[in-house]
Amino acid sequence: MKSISAFPTKQEMRDHKRREIVRCASEKFGTEGYDNVPLEAIAAELGVTKAALYNYVSSKNDLLMQCYEVGMDRLITAVEQAMDTPGTAAERLRIGLETYVVTMTRKDMQYLWNYIRPLLSPGETHSVQTSRDQIDSIFRAMLKNGIEDGSLRADLDPKLASLVILGAINWVGIWFRPSGAQKSQEVAREVVGEALRGYLTS
Amino acid sequence: MKSISAFPTKQEMRDHKRREIVRCASEKFGTEGYDNVPLEAIAAELGVTKAALYNYVSSKNDLLMQCYEVGMDRLITAVEQAMDTPGTAAERLRIGLETYVVTMTRKDMQYLWNYIRPLLSPGETHSVQTSRDQIDSIFRAMLKNGIEDGSLRADLDPKLASLVILGAINWVGIWFRPSGAQKSQEVAREVVGEALRGYLTS
DNA sequence: CACTTTGGTAACCGTTGGTTACCAAACTTT
DNA sequence: AAAGTTTGGTAACCAACGGTTACCAAAGTG
């Protein structure tokens, strides 16, 4: 959460306000669902009128995209940071995937990550696809590392393996609800463990 | 596609019309997305006005649910029929999963199956969850069969395995677009093969 | 032949995304 | 300091769409 300086410039104020809008929208979209959140609700929570928001975003869909990008950055950053640790590629992959699950199941990410596609226009869909490919390639690279350092089976196909692993992992975001009995950390460990099981050289 | 008799009774006509509405809506929802299809569009395609639809459905959301249920029935029927074949449990599981993928990636199922949840009210969500559990238990039962007949590894946990396998399979419905180069049948074979790889004895 | 039931239409309402006309306060220029 | 000019906001409005209501015509019924 970037904060503003004591004597903010005009530009800083603008940026700050825009980020606040996105933060507020992320929370509401993420928990209540995009369609159930009128712009007026976001505006009201920030103490302004709906029209004021249009000084910072060009449309409700644009706002959604900005929420998505912020969430996506958080996800990628968290995963890369988690993987930046000593150990075999298999171990690093495991911690990266677990972090992915935990971050993705944050309440302000639930709806954002899994259900965003049908809400977008074709051009925006492409941007989402690019982000997903980015995540995919991060994990795929680690799979290759695992083959090289011998911590993963030599006969695995990184493309197919990442398809199956990411599928299993993303599926968690569909059925897991934070309100449930299990903590997301436990679920992450279980599911990631199972998804990797067949690929380890154990 | 059920068709009507030569001299339909009133009740038959009613049912027929309701099914036609659902069929038309499924196609449009499935290809264009729920939010992008006004009821007027469906009505227009059927040559009536929007208000006429309300003789057959109680709301747009109710119509969506009916589309979902029809699709769900089709999916379960197709899978059960495909699995009703001689062979080891592993072989039957494979054909069942491949059928699942192929059916799910029909163009009038794309949006329906994967993106329906945020569109529903809590009560409807429960109904969707029940359907998913039904599919899940079908495959889980076959996993148990596989352990018993020795075609699947004895040490697999049906619950976790079905989680990973169904995750991988459902993920196909997210990224696969019929317009792509690959046919859905090929994709199904590849992905199902990979998802089952670690569970086979052999 | 009345009269009820059915399936439909036109017109309307409420919500909500998005726009426009306008205003006040804060910079900028002279 | 006075006169523009830009910025960030508001109130009022428009258009699209889900949903409802008043009404009508045709078919079925006693």
Side-chain angles (χ1 to χ4, degrees):
Chain A
M1 172 108 70
K2 194 176 296 183
S3 94
I4 60 178
S5 55
F7 295 88
T9 65
K10 240 171 161 181
Q11 187 57 42
E12 280 175 335
M13 272 313 287
R14 246 196 104 74
D15 278 8
H16 168 71
K17 288 180 186 175
R18 211 206 68 244
R19 277 197 305 272
E20 275 300 288
I21 292 170
V22 171
R23 189 196 49 73
C24 177
S26 283
E27 168 135 3
K28 291 186 104 58
F29 288 162
T31 54
E32 298 168 40
Y34 181 76
D35 289 326
N36 302 319
V37 180
L39 284 178
E40 311 250 28
I42 296 169
E45 197 156 314
L46 298 170
V48 293
T49 62
K50 176 183 55 164
L53 301 182
Y54 281 83
N55 279 317
Y56 302 92
V57 300
S58 64
S59 70
K60 193 185 181 187
N61 238 289
D62 173 48
L63 177 56
L64 177 64
M65 271 309 286
Q66 293 196 33
C67 292
Y68 175 79
E69 278 158 16
V70 168
M72 195 62 209
D73 282 350
R74 181 165 49 214
L75 189 57
I76 291 183
T77 303
V79 167
E80 286 186 329
Q81 189 183 328
M83 281 179 151
D84 183 18
T85 181
T88 66
E91 285 160 0
R92 295 168 67 201
L93 181 59
R94 165 172 272 120
I95 180 72
L97 287 169
E98 285 179 7
T99 301
Y100 180 93
V101 172
V102 170
T103 306
M104 182 185 60
T105 51
R106 280 171 52 135
K107 70 181 188 324
D108 60 346
M109 296 277 287
Q110 290 272 150
Y111 279 95
L112 226 53
W113 175 244
N114 289 301
Y115 297 117
I116 199 175
R117 192 173 329 222
L119 304 174
L120 303 176
S121 60
E124 294 167 326
T125 303
H126 182 261
S127 154
V128 167
Q129 193 53 51
T130 303
S131 303
R132 296 214 157 154
D133 290 349
Q134 197 178 339
I135 280 278
D136 191 59
S137 66
I138 289 174
F139 287 127
R140 235 185 261 190
M142 195 56 73
L143 282 167
K144 289 207 193 83
N145 288 349
I147 297 176
E148 284 160 18
D149 77 3
S151 59
L152 295 175
R153 300 171 62 94
D155 63 343
L156 74 77
D157 174 345
K159 177 160 161 277
L160 278 176
S162 100
L163 220 57
V164 168
I165 293 171
L166 276 185
I169 298 309
N170 281 312
W171 185 233
V172 177
I174 304 278
W175 55 261
F176 179 75
R177 285 295 166 272
S179 49
Q182 288 177 294
K183 303 286 289 177
S184 75
Q185 181 61 254
E186 299 167 22
V187 170
R189 195 166 44 239
E190 265 196 0
V191 175
V192 170
E194 178 74 9
L196 286 181
R197 213 181 50 83
Y199 296 115
L200 301 174
T201 49
S202 63
Chain B
M1 173 108 70
K2 194 176 297 184
S3 97
I4 58 177
S5 54
F7 295 88
T9 66
K10 236 164 164 192
Q11 187 59 40
E12 279 176 335
M13 273 311 289
R14 247 197 102 76
D15 278 8
H16 168 71
K17 288 180 186 174
R18 212 206 68 245
R19 277 196 306 272
E20 275 299 288
I21 293 172
V22 171
R23 188 196 50 72
C24 177
S26 284
E27 167 134 3
K28 291 186 104 57
F29 289 161
T31 55
E32 299 168 41
Y34 182 75
D35 290 325
N36 302 318
V37 180
L39 284 177
E40 311 249 26
I42 296 169
E45 197 156 315
L46 298 170
V48 293
T49 62
K50 177 182 54 166
L53 301 181
Y54 281 85
N55 278 317
Y56 303 92
V57 300
S58 65
S59 71
K60 193 186 182 188
N61 237 288
D62 172 49
L63 176 56
L64 177 65
M65 271 310 285
Q66 293 195 33
C67 292
Y68 175 80
E69 277 158 16
V70 167
M72 195 62 209
D73 282 350
R74 182 165 48 215
L75 189 57
I76 291 183
T77 304
V79 167
E80 285 185 331
Q81 189 183 328
M83 282 180 152
D84 183 18
T85 181
T88 65
E91 284 160 359
R92 295 168 67 201
L93 182 59
R94 165 173 274 120
I95 181 71
L97 288 169
E98 286 178 9
T99 302
Y100 180 92
V101 172
V102 170
T103 306
M104 183 187 58
T105 51
R106 282 171 52 136
K107 70 182 188 324
D108 59 346
M109 296 277 285
Q110 290 271 148
Y111 279 95
L112 225 52
W113 175 244
N114 291 115
Y115 297 118
I116 198 175
R117 191 173 330 222
L119 303 174
L120 302 177
S121 60
E124 293 167 326
T125 303
H126 182 261
S127 154
V128 166
Q129 193 52 52
T130 303
S131 302
R132 296 214 157 153
D133 290 348
Q134 197 177 342
I135 280 279
D136 191 60
S137 66
I138 289 174
F139 286 127
R140 233 184 264 189
M142 195 56 73
L143 282 168
K144 289 207 193 82
N145 288 348
I147 297 176
E148 284 160 18
D149 78 3
S151 58
L152 294 176
R153 300 171 62 94
D155 63 344
L156 73 77
D157 174 344
K159 176 161 161 277
L160 278 176
S162 100
L163 220 57
V164 169
I165 293 171
L166 276 185
I169 298 310
N170 281 312
W171 185 233
V172 177
I174 304 278
W175 55 261
F176 180 75
R177 285 295 166 273
S179 50
Q182 288 177 294
K183 302 286 290 178
S184 74
Q185 181 62 252
E186 299 167 23
V187 171
R189 195 166 43 239
E190 265 196 359
V191 175
V192 170
E194 178 74 8
L196 286 181
R197 213 182 50 82
Y199 296 114
L200 302 173
T201 52
S202 80

